[in-house]
Coordinates of all heavy atoms in Angstrom, one line a residue:
M4 N 58.2 -11.8 -11.0 CA 59.0 -11.2 -12.1 C 59.1 -9.7 -11.8 O 58.2 -9.0 -11.5 CB 58.3 -11.4 -13.4 CG 58.2 -12.8 -13.9 SD 57.5 -13.0 -15.6 CE 56.2 -11.9 -15.6
G5 N 60.3 -9.2 -11.9 CA 60.6 -7.8 -11.8 C 60.7 -7.2 -13.2 O 60.4 -7.9 -14.2
V6 N 61.2 -6.0 -13.2 CA 61.5 -5.3 -14.5 C 63.0 -5.0 -14.5 O 63.6 -4.6 -13.4 CB 60.7 -4.0 -14.5 CG1 61.0 -3.2 -15.7 CG2 59.2 -4.3 -14.5
R7 N 63.6 -5.1 -15.6 CA 65.0 -4.9 -15.7 C 65.4 -3.4 -15.5 O 64.8 -2.5 -16.1 CB 65.5 -5.3 -17.1 CG 67.0 -5.3 -17.2 CD 67.5 -5.3 -18.6 NE 67.5 -3.8 -19.0 CZ 68.1 -3.3 -20.0 NH1 68.7 -4.1 -20.8 NH2 68.0 -2.0 -20.2
A8 N 66.3 -3.2 -14.6 CA 66.8 -1.8 -14.4 C 67.5 -1.3 -15.6 O 68.0 -2.1 -16.4 CB 67.7 -1.8 -13.2
D9 N 67.6 0.0 -15.8 CA 68.2 0.6 -16.9 C 69.7 0.5 -16.9 O 70.4 0.2 -17.9 CB 67.8 2.1 -17.1 CG 66.4 2.2 -17.5 OD1 65.8 1.3 -18.2 OD2 65.8 3.3 -17.1
E10 N 70.3 0.7 -15.7 CA 71.8 0.7 -15.5 C 72.3 -0.7 -15.2 O 71.7 -1.4 -14.4 CB 72.2 1.6 -14.4 CG 72.0 3.1 -14.8 CD 72.6 4.0 -13.8 OE1 73.7 3.7 -13.3 OE2 72.0 5.1 -13.5
A11 N 73.4 -1.1 -15.9 CA 74.0 -2.4 -15.6 C 74.7 -2.4 -14.2 O 75.1 -1.4 -13.7 CB 75.1 -2.6 -16.7
L12 N 74.7 -3.6 -13.7 CA 75.4 -3.8 -12.4 C 76.9 -4.0 -12.7 O 77.2 -4.5 -13.7 CB 74.9 -5.1 -11.7 CG 73.4 -5.1 -11.3 CD1 73.0 -6.5 -10.9 CD2 73.2 -4.1 -10.1
E13 N 77.7 -3.6 -11.8 CA 79.1 -3.8 -11.9 C 79.5 -4.9 -10.9 O 79.6 -4.7 -9.7 CB 79.9 -2.5 -11.6 CG 79.7 -1.5 -12.6 CD 80.6 -0.3 -12.4 OE1 81.7 -0.4 -11.9 OE2 80.2 0.8 -12.8
L14 N 79.5 -6.1 -11.4 CA 79.8 -7.3 -10.6 C 80.9 -8.1 -11.2 O 81.1 -8.2 -12.4 CB 78.6 -8.3 -10.6 CG 77.3 -7.8 -10.0 CD1 76.2 -8.8 -10.3 CD2 77.5 -7.7 -8.5
E15 N 81.7 -8.7 -10.3 CA 82.7 -9.7 -10.6 C 82.0 -11.0 -10.5 O 81.0 -11.1 -9.7 CB 83.9 -9.6 -9.7 CG 84.7 -8.3 -9.8 CD 85.3 -8.1 -11.1 OE1 85.8 -9.1 -11.8 OE2 85.4 -6.9 -11.6
F16 N 82.5 -12.1 -11.1 CA 81.8 -13.4 -11.0 C 81.7 -13.8 -9.6 O 80.7 -14.3 -9.1 CB 82.5 -14.4 -11.9 CG 81.9 -15.8 -11.7 CD1 80.7 -16.1 -12.3 CD2 82.5 -16.7 -10.8 CE1 80.1 -17.3 -12.1 CE2 81.9 -18.0 -10.6 CZ 80.7 -18.3 -11.2
D17 N 82.8 -13.6 -8.8 CA 82.8 -14.0 -7.4 C 81.8 -13.3 -6.5 O 81.5 -13.7 -5.4 CB 84.2 -13.8 -6.8 CG 85.2 -14.8 -7.4 OD1 84.8 -15.9 -7.9 OD2 86.4 -14.5 -7.3
D18 N 81.2 -12.2 -7.0 CA 80.2 -11.4 -6.3 C 78.8 -11.8 -6.7 O 77.8 -11.5 -6.0 CB 80.3 -9.9 -6.6 CG 81.7 -9.4 -6.2 OD1 82.3 -9.9 -5.2 OD2 82.2 -8.5 -6.9
L19 N 78.6 -12.6 -7.7 CA 77.3 -12.8 -8.3 C 76.4 -13.7 -7.3 O 75.2 -13.3 -7.1 CB 77.3 -13.5 -9.6 CG 76.0 -13.8 -10.3 CD1 75.2 -12.5 -10.5 CD2 76.2 -14.5 -11.6
A20 N 76.9 -14.7 -6.8 CA 76.1 -15.6 -5.9 C 75.7 -14.8 -4.6 O 74.5 -14.9 -4.3 CB 76.9 -16.8 -5.4
D21 N 76.5 -14.0 -4.1 CA 76.1 -13.1 -2.9 C 75.1 -12.1 -3.3 O 74.1 -11.8 -2.6 CB 77.3 -12.4 -2.3 CG 78.2 -13.3 -1.4 OD1 77.6 -14.4 -1.0 OD2 79.3 -13.0 -1.2
Y22 N 75.2 -11.5 -4.5 CA 74.2 -10.6 -5.0 C 72.9 -11.2 -5.1 O 71.8 -10.7 -4.7 CB 74.6 -10.0 -6.4 CG 73.6 -9.0 -6.9 CD1 73.7 -7.7 -6.5 CD2 72.5 -9.4 -7.7 CE1 72.7 -6.8 -6.9 CE2 71.6 -8.5 -8.1 CZ 71.6 -7.2 -7.7 OH 70.6 -6.3 -8.1
L23 N 72.8 -12.4 -5.7 CA 71.6 -13.1 -5.8 C 71.0 -13.5 -4.5 O 69.8 -13.4 -4.3 CB 71.7 -14.3 -6.7 CG 72.0 -14.0 -8.2 CD1 72.4 -15.3 -9.0 CD2 70.7 -13.4 -8.8
R24 N 71.8 -14.0 -3.6 CA 71.3 -14.3 -2.2 C 70.6 -13.1 -1.6 O 69.6 -13.3 -0.9 CB 72.5 -14.8 -1.3 CG 72.8 -16.2 -1.4 CD 73.9 -16.6 -0.4 NE 74.6 -17.8 -0.8 CZ 75.8 -17.8 -1.3 NH1 76.4 -16.7 -1.5 NH2 76.3 -19.0 -1.6
N25 N 71.2 -12.0 -1.7 CA 70.7 -10.8 -1.0 C 69.6 -10.1 -1.8 O 68.7 -9.5 -1.1 CB 71.9 -9.8 -0.9 CG 72.9 -10.2 0.1 OD1 72.6 -10.8 1.1 ND2 74.2 -9.9 -0.2
N26 N 69.5 -10.3 -3.1 CA 68.5 -9.6 -3.9 C 67.5 -10.5 -4.5 O 66.5 -10.0 -5.1 CB 69.2 -8.7 -5.0 CG 70.0 -7.6 -4.3 OD1 69.5 -6.6 -3.9 ND2 71.3 -7.8 -4.2
H27 N 67.7 -11.8 -4.5 CA 66.8 -12.8 -4.9 C 66.6 -12.9 -6.4 O 66.0 -13.8 -6.9 CB 65.4 -12.6 -4.3 CG 65.5 -12.6 -2.8 ND1 65.7 -13.7 -2.0 CD2 65.5 -11.5 -1.9 CE1 65.8 -13.4 -0.8 NE2 65.7 -12.0 -0.7
S28 N 67.1 -11.9 -7.2 CA 67.0 -12.0 -8.7 C 67.8 -11.0 -9.4 O 68.3 -10.0 -8.8 CB 65.5 -11.8 -9.1 OG 65.0 -10.6 -8.7
A29 N 68.1 -11.2 -10.6 CA 68.8 -10.3 -11.5 C 68.5 -10.7 -12.9 O 68.1 -11.8 -13.2 CB 70.3 -10.4 -11.3
Y30 N 68.7 -9.8 -13.8 CA 68.6 -10.1 -15.3 C 70.0 -10.2 -15.8 O 70.9 -9.5 -15.4 CB 67.9 -8.9 -16.0 CG 66.4 -9.0 -15.8 CD1 65.8 -8.3 -14.8 CD2 65.6 -9.7 -16.7 CE1 64.4 -8.3 -14.6 CE2 64.2 -9.7 -16.5 CZ 63.6 -9.0 -15.4 OH 62.3 -9.0 -15.3
M31 N 70.1 -11.1 -16.8 CA 71.4 -11.4 -17.5 C 71.1 -11.3 -19.0 O 70.3 -12.0 -19.5 CB 71.9 -12.8 -17.1 CG 73.2 -13.2 -17.9 SD 73.8 -14.8 -17.5 CE 72.7 -15.9 -18.4
E32 N 71.9 -10.4 -19.6 CA 71.7 -10.2 -21.1 C 73.0 -10.8 -21.7 O 74.1 -10.5 -21.4 CB 71.6 -8.7 -21.4 CG 71.3 -8.5 -22.9 CD 71.1 -7.0 -23.2 OE1 71.6 -6.2 -22.4 OE2 70.4 -6.8 -24.2
V33 N 72.7 -11.7 -22.7 CA 73.8 -12.4 -23.4 C 73.4 -12.4 -24.9 O 72.3 -12.9 -25.2 CB 74.0 -13.8 -22.9 CG1 75.1 -14.5 -23.7 CG2 74.3 -13.8 -21.4
N34 N 74.3 -11.9 -25.7 CA 74.1 -11.9 -27.2 C 72.7 -11.4 -27.6 O 72.0 -12.0 -28.4 CB 74.3 -13.3 -27.7 CG 75.7 -13.8 -27.5 OD1 76.6 -13.1 -27.6 ND2 75.8 -15.1 -27.2
G35 N 72.3 -10.3 -26.9 CA 71.0 -9.7 -27.2 C 69.8 -10.4 -26.6 O 68.6 -10.0 -26.8
N36 N 70.0 -11.5 -25.9 CA 68.9 -12.2 -25.3 C 68.9 -12.0 -23.8 O 69.9 -11.8 -23.1 CB 69.0 -13.7 -25.5 CG 68.9 -14.0 -27.0 OD1 67.9 -13.6 -27.6 ND2 69.8 -14.8 -27.5
L37 N 67.7 -11.9 -23.2 CA 67.6 -11.5 -21.8 C 67.0 -12.7 -21.0 O 66.0 -13.3 -21.3 CB 66.6 -10.3 -21.6 CG 66.6 -9.6 -20.3 CD1 68.0 -9.0 -19.9 CD2 65.5 -8.5 -20.3
Y38 N 67.7 -13.0 -19.8 CA 67.4 -14.1 -19.0 C 67.1 -13.6 -17.5 O 67.8 -12.6 -17.1 CB 68.4 -15.2 -19.0 CG 68.7 -15.7 -20.3 CD1 69.7 -15.1 -21.2 CD2 67.9 -16.7 -20.9 CE1 69.9 -15.6 -22.5 CE2 68.1 -17.2 -22.1 CZ 69.1 -16.6 -22.9 OH 69.3 -17.0 -24.2
Y39 N 66.2 -14.2 -16.8 CA 65.9 -13.8 -15.5 C 66.4 -14.9 -14.6 O 66.1 -16.0 -14.7 CB 64.4 -13.7 -15.4 CG 63.9 -13.1 -14.1 CD1 64.3 -11.8 -13.6 CD2 62.9 -13.7 -13.3 CE1 63.8 -11.3 -12.5 CE2 62.4 -13.2 -12.2 CZ 62.8 -11.9 -11.8 OH 62.3 -11.4 -10.6
L40 N 67.3 -14.5 -13.7 CA 67.9 -15.4 -12.7 C 67.2 -15.1 -11.4 O 67.2 -14.0 -10.9 CB 69.4 -15.1 -12.5 CG 70.2 -15.0 -13.8 CD1 71.7 -14.6 -13.5 CD2 70.1 -16.2 -14.7
T41 N 66.6 -16.2 -10.8 CA 65.7 -15.9 -9.7 C 65.7 -17.1 -8.7 O 66.0 -18.2 -9.1 CB 64.3 -15.5 -10.1 OG1 63.5 -15.1 -9.0 CG2 63.6 -16.6 -10.8
D42 N 65.3 -16.8 -7.5 CA 65.1 -17.9 -6.5 C 63.6 -18.4 -6.6 O 62.8 -17.7 -7.2 CB 65.5 -17.5 -5.1 CG 64.6 -16.4 -4.5 OD1 63.6 -15.9 -5.2 OD2 64.9 -15.9 -3.4
V43 N 63.4 -19.5 -6.1 CA 62.1 -20.1 -5.9 C 61.9 -20.3 -4.5 O 62.5 -21.2 -3.8 CB 62.0 -21.5 -6.7 CG1 60.6 -22.1 -6.6 CG2 62.5 -21.4 -8.1
N44 N 61.1 -19.5 -3.8 CA 60.8 -19.5 -2.4 C 62.1 -19.5 -1.6 O 62.2 -20.1 -0.5 CB 60.0 -20.8 -2.1 CG 58.7 -20.8 -2.8 OD1 58.1 -19.8 -3.0 ND2 58.3 -22.0 -3.1
K45 N 63.1 -18.8 -2.0 CA 64.4 -18.5 -1.3 C 65.2 -19.8 -1.1 O 66.2 -19.8 -0.4 CB 64.2 -17.8 0.0 CG 63.5 -16.5 -0.2 CD 63.4 -15.8 1.2 CE 62.6 -14.5 1.0 NZ 62.4 -13.8 2.2
H46 N 64.8 -20.9 -1.6 CA 65.5 -22.2 -1.4 C 66.1 -22.8 -2.7 O 67.0 -23.7 -2.6 CB 64.6 -23.2 -0.7 CG 64.1 -22.7 0.6 ND1 64.9 -22.7 1.7 CD2 62.9 -22.3 1.0 CE1 64.2 -22.2 2.7 NE2 63.0 -22.0 2.3
Y47 N 65.6 -22.5 -3.8 CA 66.0 -23.0 -5.1 C 66.3 -21.9 -6.1 O 65.8 -20.8 -5.9 CB 64.9 -24.0 -5.6 CG 64.7 -25.2 -4.7 CD1 63.7 -25.1 -3.7 CD2 65.5 -26.3 -4.8 CE1 63.5 -26.2 -2.9 CE2 65.3 -27.4 -4.0 CZ 64.3 -27.3 -3.0 OH 64.1 -28.4 -2.2
W48 N 67.0 -22.2 -7.1 CA 67.4 -21.2 -8.1 C 67.1 -21.7 -9.5 O 67.2 -22.9 -9.8 CB 68.9 -20.9 -7.9 CG 69.2 -20.3 -6.6 CD1 69.5 -21.0 -5.5 CD2 69.0 -19.0 -6.3 NE1 69.6 -20.1 -4.4 CE2 69.3 -18.8 -4.9 CE3 68.7 -17.8 -7.0 CZ2 69.3 -17.6 -4.2 CZ3 68.7 -16.6 -6.4 CH2 68.9 -16.5 -5.0
R49 N 66.8 -20.8 -10.4 CA 66.5 -21.2 -11.8 C 66.8 -20.0 -12.7 O 66.8 -18.8 -12.2 CB 65.1 -21.6 -12.0 CG 64.1 -20.5 -11.7 CD 62.7 -21.0 -11.9 NE 61.8 -19.9 -11.4 CZ 60.5 -20.2 -11.1 NH1 60.0 -21.4 -11.2 NH2 59.8 -19.2 -10.7
A50 N 67.0 -20.2 -14.0 CA 67.1 -19.2 -15.0 C 65.9 -19.3 -15.9 O 65.4 -20.4 -16.1 CB 68.4 -19.4 -15.8
Q51 N 65.4 -18.2 -16.3 CA 64.2 -18.2 -17.2 C 64.4 -17.3 -18.4 O 65.1 -16.3 -18.3 CB 63.0 -17.6 -16.4 CG 62.6 -18.4 -15.2 CD 61.5 -17.8 -14.4 OE1 61.5 -16.6 -14.0 NE2 60.5 -18.6 -14.1
D52 N 63.9 -17.8 -19.5 CA 64.0 -17.1 -20.8 C 62.8 -16.1 -20.8 O 61.7 -16.4 -20.8 CB 63.8 -18.1 -21.9 CG 64.0 -17.5 -23.3 OD1 63.8 -16.3 -23.5 OD2 64.4 -18.3 -24.2
T53 N 63.2 -14.8 -21.0 CA 62.2 -13.7 -20.9 C 61.4 -13.6 -22.2 O 60.4 -12.9 -22.3 CB 62.8 -12.3 -20.6 OG1 63.6 -12.0 -21.7 CG2 63.5 -12.4 -19.3
T54 N 61.8 -14.3 -23.3 CA 61.1 -14.3 -24.5 C 60.0 -15.3 -24.6 O 59.2 -15.3 -25.6 CB 62.0 -14.4 -25.7 OG1 62.6 -15.7 -25.7 CG2 63.1 -13.4 -25.7
K55 N 59.9 -16.2 -23.6 CA 59.0 -17.3 -23.7 C 58.1 -17.2 -22.4 O 58.6 -17.2 -21.3 CB 59.7 -18.7 -23.7 CG 60.5 -18.8 -25.0 CD 61.2 -20.2 -25.0 CE 62.1 -20.3 -26.2 NZ 62.9 -21.4 -26.2
L56 N 56.8 -17.2 -22.6 CA 55.8 -17.1 -21.5 C 55.0 -18.4 -21.4 O 54.6 -18.9 -22.4 CB 54.9 -15.9 -21.6 CG 55.6 -14.5 -21.7 CD1 54.6 -13.4 -22.0 CD2 56.4 -14.2 -20.5
N57 N 54.7 -18.8 -20.2 CA 53.8 -19.9 -20.0 C 52.3 -19.5 -19.9 O 52.0 -18.3 -20.1 CB 54.2 -20.7 -18.8 CG 54.1 -20.0 -17.5 OD1 53.3 -19.0 -17.4 ND2 54.8 -20.4 -16.4
E58 N 51.4 -20.4 -19.6 CA 50.0 -20.1 -19.6 C 49.6 -19.1 -18.5 O 48.6 -18.5 -18.6 CB 49.2 -21.4 -19.4 CG 49.4 -22.1 -18.1 CD 50.7 -23.0 -18.1 OE1 51.3 -23.2 -19.1 OE2 51.0 -23.4 -17.0
K59 N 50.5 -18.9 -17.5 CA 50.2 -17.9 -16.5 C 50.9 -16.6 -16.8 O 50.9 -15.7 -16.0 CB 50.8 -18.4 -15.1 CG 50.0 -19.6 -14.6 CD 50.6 -20.1 -13.3 CE 49.9 -21.3 -12.7 NZ 50.5 -21.7 -11.5
N60 N 51.4 -16.5 -18.0 CA 52.1 -15.3 -18.5 C 53.4 -15.0 -17.7 O 53.8 -13.8 -17.5 CB 51.2 -14.1 -18.4 CG 51.5 -13.1 -19.6 OD1 51.9 -13.5 -20.6 ND2 51.2 -11.8 -19.4
H61 N 54.0 -16.1 -17.2 CA 55.3 -16.0 -16.5 C 56.4 -16.5 -17.4 O 56.1 -17.3 -18.3 CB 55.3 -16.8 -15.2 CG 54.4 -16.3 -14.2 ND1 54.0 -17.1 -13.2 CD2 53.7 -15.1 -14.0 CE1 53.2 -16.5 -12.4 NE2 53.0 -15.3 -12.9
Y62 N 57.6 -16.0 -17.2 CA 58.8 -16.5 -18.0 C 58.9 -18.0 -17.9 O 58.7 -18.6 -16.8 CB 60.1 -15.9 -17.5 CG 60.1 -14.4 -17.6 CD1 60.8 -13.7 -16.5 CD2 59.6 -13.6 -18.6 CE1 60.8 -12.3 -16.5 CE2 59.6 -12.2 -18.6 CZ 60.3 -11.6 -17.6 OH 60.4 -10.2 -17.6
C63 N 59.4 -18.7 -18.9 CA 59.6 -20.1 -18.9 C 61.0 -20.4 -18.4 O 62.0 -19.7 -18.8 CB 59.4 -20.7 -20.3 SG 57.6 -20.7 -20.8
D64 N 61.1 -21.5 -17.7 CA 62.4 -21.9 -17.2 C 63.3 -22.4 -18.4 O 62.8 -23.0 -19.3 CB 62.3 -23.1 -16.2 CG 61.6 -22.7 -14.9 OD1 61.4 -21.5 -14.7 OD2 61.3 -23.6 -14.1
C65 N 64.6 -22.0 -18.3 CA 65.5 -22.5 -19.3 C 66.7 -23.2 -18.6 O 67.7 -23.5 -19.3 CB 66.0 -21.4 -20.2 SG 66.8 -20.0 -19.4
S66 N 66.6 -23.5 -17.3 CA 67.6 -24.3 -16.6 C 66.9 -25.2 -15.7 O 65.7 -25.1 -15.4 CB 68.5 -23.4 -15.8 OG 67.8 -22.9 -14.6
D67 N 67.6 -26.2 -15.1 CA 67.1 -27.0 -14.1 C 66.9 -26.1 -12.8 O 67.6 -25.1 -12.7 CB 68.0 -28.1 -13.7 CG 68.0 -29.2 -14.8 OD1 67.1 -29.3 -15.6 OD2 69.0 -29.9 -14.9
I68 N 66.1 -26.5 -11.9 CA 65.9 -25.8 -10.6 C 66.8 -26.6 -9.7 O 66.8 -27.8 -9.5 CB 64.5 -25.9 -10.1 CG1 63.6 -25.1 -11.1 CG2 64.3 -25.3 -8.7 CD1 62.1 -25.2 -10.9
V69 N 67.7 -25.8 -9.0 CA 68.7 -26.4 -8.1 C 68.7 -25.7 -6.7 O 68.3 -24.5 -6.7 CB 70.1 -26.4 -8.7 CG1 70.2 -27.3 -9.9 CG2 70.6 -25.0 -9.0
S70 N 69.1 -26.4 -5.7 CA 69.1 -25.8 -4.4 C 70.4 -25.1 -4.0 O 70.4 -24.3 -3.1 CB 68.8 -26.9 -3.3 OG 69.8 -27.9 -3.4
N71 N 71.5 -25.4 -4.7 CA 72.8 -24.8 -4.4 C 73.1 -23.6 -5.3 O 73.2 -23.8 -6.5 CB 73.8 -25.9 -4.5 CG 75.2 -25.5 -4.0 OD1 75.7 -24.5 -4.6 ND2 75.7 -26.1 -3.1
I72 N 73.2 -22.4 -4.7 CA 73.5 -21.3 -5.5 C 74.8 -21.3 -6.2 O 75.0 -20.9 -7.4 CB 73.4 -20.0 -4.7 CG1 73.5 -18.7 -5.6 CG2 74.4 -19.9 -3.7 CD1 72.3 -17.9 -5.7
D73 N 75.8 -21.9 -5.6 CA 77.1 -22.0 -6.3 C 77.1 -23.0 -7.5 O 77.7 -22.7 -8.5 CB 78.2 -22.5 -5.3 CG 78.4 -21.5 -4.2 OD1 78.4 -20.2 -4.5 OD2 78.6 -21.8 -3.0
E74 N 76.3 -24.0 -7.3 CA 76.1 -24.9 -8.5 C 75.3 -24.2 -9.6 O 75.6 -24.3 -10.8 CB 75.3 -26.2 -8.0 CG 75.0 -27.1 -9.1 CD 74.1 -28.3 -8.7 OE1 73.8 -28.4 -7.5 OE2 73.8 -29.1 -9.6
F75 N 74.3 -23.4 -9.2 CA 73.5 -22.7 -10.1 C 74.3 -21.7 -11.0 O 74.2 -21.7 -12.2 CB 72.4 -21.9 -9.4 CG 71.6 -21.0 -10.3 CD1 70.8 -21.5 -11.3 CD2 71.6 -19.6 -10.1 CE1 70.1 -20.7 -12.2 CE2 70.9 -18.8 -10.9 CZ 70.1 -19.3 -11.9
V76 N 75.2 -20.9 -10.4 CA 76.0 -19.9 -11.1 C 77.2 -20.6 -11.8 O 77.7 -20.0 -12.8 CB 76.4 -18.7 -10.3 CG1 75.1 -17.9 -9.8 CG2 77.3 -19.0 -9.2
G77 N 77.6 -21.7 -11.2 CA 78.9 -22.3 -11.7 C 78.8 -23.4 -12.7 O 79.7 -23.7 -13.5
A78 N 77.7 -24.2 -12.6 CA 77.7 -25.4 -13.4 C 76.4 -25.7 -14.2 O 76.5 -26.5 -15.2 CB 78.0 -26.6 -12.5
V79 N 75.3 -25.2 -13.8 CA 74.0 -25.6 -14.4 C 73.9 -24.9 -15.8 O 74.1 -23.7 -15.9 CB 72.8 -25.1 -13.5 CG1 71.5 -25.3 -14.2 CG2 72.9 -25.8 -12.2
P80 N 73.7 -25.7 -16.8 CA 73.5 -25.2 -18.2 C 72.3 -24.2 -18.2 O 71.2 -24.6 -17.7 CB 73.2 -26.4 -19.0 CG 73.8 -27.6 -18.2 CD 73.6 -27.2 -16.8
V81 N 72.5 -23.1 -18.8 CA 71.4 -22.0 -18.9 C 71.1 -21.7 -20.3 O 70.0 -21.7 -20.7 CB 71.9 -20.8 -18.1 CG1 70.9 -19.7 -18.3 CG2 72.0 -21.1 -16.6
V82 N 72.2 -21.4 -21.1 CA 72.0 -21.0 -22.5 C 72.8 -21.9 -23.4 O 74.0 -21.9 -23.3 CB 72.4 -19.5 -22.7 CG1 72.2 -19.1 -24.1 CG2 71.6 -18.6 -21.8
D83 N 72.2 -22.6 -24.3 CA 72.8 -23.5 -25.2 C 73.9 -24.4 -24.6 O 75.0 -24.5 -25.1 CB 73.5 -22.7 -26.4 CG 72.5 -21.9 -27.2 OD1 71.3 -22.4 -27.3 OD2 72.8 -20.8 -27.7
G84 N 73.6 -24.9 -23.4 CA 74.5 -25.8 -22.7 C 75.6 -25.1 -21.9 O 76.4 -25.8 -21.3
A85 N 75.6 -23.8 -21.9 CA 76.6 -23.0 -21.2 C 76.1 -22.6 -19.8 O 74.9 -22.2 -19.7 CB 77.1 -21.9 -22.0
S86 N 77.0 -22.6 -18.8 CA 76.6 -22.1 -17.5 C 76.8 -20.6 -17.4 O 77.4 -20.0 -18.3 CB 77.5 -22.8 -16.4 OG 78.8 -22.3 -16.6
I87 N 76.2 -20.0 -16.3 CA 76.4 -18.6 -16.1 C 77.9 -18.3 -16.0 O 78.3 -17.3 -16.5 CB 75.6 -18.2 -14.8 CG1 74.1 -18.4 -15.0 CG2 76.0 -16.7 -14.4 CD1 73.3 -18.2 -13.8
K88 N 78.7 -19.1 -15.3 CA 80.1 -18.9 -15.2 C 80.7 -18.8 -16.6 O 81.6 -17.9 -16.9 CB 80.7 -20.0 -14.4 CG 82.2 -19.8 -14.2 CD 82.8 -20.9 -13.3 CE 84.3 -20.6 -13.0 NZ 84.9 -21.6 -12.1
E89 N 80.4 -19.7 -17.5 CA 80.9 -19.7 -18.8 C 80.5 -18.5 -19.7 O 81.2 -18.0 -20.5 CB 80.6 -21.0 -19.6 CG 81.2 -22.2 -18.9 CD 80.6 -23.5 -19.5 OE1 79.4 -23.6 -19.7 OE2 81.4 -24.5 -19.6
L90 N 79.3 -18.0 -19.4 CA 78.7 -16.9 -20.1 C 79.1 -15.5 -19.5 O 79.0 -14.5 -20.1 CB 77.2 -17.0 -20.1 CG 76.6 -18.2 -20.8 CD1 75.1 -18.3 -20.5 CD2 76.8 -18.1 -22.3
F91 N 79.6 -15.5 -18.3 CA 79.8 -14.3 -17.5 C 80.5 -13.2 -18.2 O 80.1 -12.0 -18.2 CB 80.5 -14.6 -16.2 CG 80.5 -13.4 -15.2 CD1 79.4 -13.2 -14.4 CD2 81.5 -12.5 -15.2 CE1 79.3 -12.1 -13.6 CE2 81.5 -11.4 -14.4 CZ 80.4 -11.2 -13.5
D92 N 81.7 -13.5 -18.9 CA 82.5 -12.4 -19.5 C 81.7 -11.8 -20.7 O 82.0 -10.6 -21.1 CB 83.8 -13.0 -20.0 CG 84.7 -13.3 -18.8 OD1 84.5 -12.8 -17.7 OD2 85.7 -14.1 -19.0
D93 N 80.8 -12.5 -21.3 CA 80.0 -11.9 -22.4 C 78.7 -11.4 -22.0 O 77.9 -10.9 -22.8 CB 79.8 -13.0 -23.5 CG 81.1 -13.5 -24.1 OD1 82.0 -12.6 -24.3 OD2 81.3 -14.6 -24.4
A94 N 78.4 -11.5 -20.7 CA 77.0 -11.1 -20.2 C 77.1 -9.7 -19.5 O 78.1 -9.3 -19.0 CB 76.6 -12.1 -19.2
T95 N 75.9 -9.1 -19.5 CA 75.7 -7.8 -18.7 C 74.6 -8.2 -17.8 O 73.5 -8.8 -18.2 CB 75.3 -6.7 -19.7 OG1 76.3 -6.5 -20.7 CG2 75.1 -5.4 -18.9
F96 N 74.7 -7.8 -16.5 CA 73.8 -8.0 -15.5 C 73.1 -6.8 -15.1 O 73.7 -5.7 -15.0 CB 74.4 -8.7 -14.3 CG 75.0 -10.1 -14.6 CD1 76.2 -10.2 -15.2 CD2 74.2 -11.2 -14.4 CE1 76.7 -11.4 -15.5 CE2 74.7 -12.4 -14.7 CZ 76.0 -12.6 -15.3
Y97 N 71.8 -6.9 -14.8 CA 71.0 -5.8 -14.4 C 70.2 -6.2 -13.1 O 69.7 -7.3 -13.0 CB 70.0 -5.4 -15.5 CG 70.6 -5.0 -16.8 CD1 70.9 -5.9 -17.7 CD2 70.9 -3.6 -17.0 CE1 71.6 -5.5 -18.9 CE2 71.5 -3.2 -18.2 CZ 71.8 -4.2 -19.1 OH 72.4 -3.8 -20.3
A98 N 69.9 -5.2 -12.3 CA 69.0 -5.4 -11.1 C 67.6 -5.6 -11.6 O 67.2 -5.2 -12.7 CB 69.0 -4.2 -10.2
S99 N 66.8 -6.3 -10.8 CA 65.4 -6.5 -11.1 C 64.7 -5.6 -10.1 O 64.9 -5.7 -8.9 CB 65.0 -8.0 -10.8 OG 63.6 -8.1 -10.9
V100 N 63.9 -4.7 -10.7 CA 63.2 -3.7 -9.8 C 61.7 -3.8 -10.0 O 61.2 -4.4 -10.9 CB 63.7 -2.2 -10.2 CG1 65.1 -2.0 -9.8 CG2 63.4 -1.9 -11.6

């Protein structure tokens, strides 16, 4: 887990998958809620709810874990059944530092 950077990233949706591939994680803020988008051992992807912690004090998953980054950002439900693609226009993205 990183820490959310103060400044928002300037990304288009088509740039998000490459950003995640290169940086391995980012924060997504939607409707005042913060989610952590991250890889799992560089082979799988998941979204995590930063308001919920597990017994190891790590964020809890709020999406399925998938191996395809394009599927992860384009189709996997993350928030209330909506994908990152569907949420993108209402979301603000931040680097994880």
Side-chain angles (χ1 to χ4, degrees):
M4 293 185 318
V6 176
R7 190 201 85 161
D9 291 331
E10 289 191 39
L12 296 169
E13 293 188 29
L14 293 172
E15 298 294 325
F16 177 76
D17 292 337
D18 301 325
L19 182 58
D21 285 337
Y22 179 88
L23 289 170
R24 274 188 202 98
N25 292 323
N26 295 281
H27 308 283
S28 61
Y30 283 90
M31 176 180 75
E32 186 173 27
V33 179
N34 299 323
N36 297 309
L37 192 62
Y38 302 91
Y39 189 55
L40 313 178
T41 187
D42 64 5
V43 181
N44 300 326
K45 300 181 184 179
H46 299 287
Y47 296 92
W48 296 92
R49 66 180 170 198
Q51 299 177 310
D52 185 336
T53 66
T54 65
K55 298 178 183 173
L56 301 176
N57 64 21
E58 65 281 350
K59 294 180 181 179
N60 214 30
H61 294 163
Y62 303 141
C63 290
D64 292 351
C65 62
S66 75
D67 289 338
I68 296 173
V69 296
S70 61
N71 183 301
I72 185 115
D73 294 321
E74 179 184 0
F75 174 63
V76 298
V79 172
V81 174
V82 179
D83 297 329
S86 69
I87 296 168
K88 182 177 184 176
E89 293 168 322
L90 298 167
F91 190 86
D92 289 341
D93 295 322
T95 304
F96 294 85
Y97 297 89
S99 174
V100 294

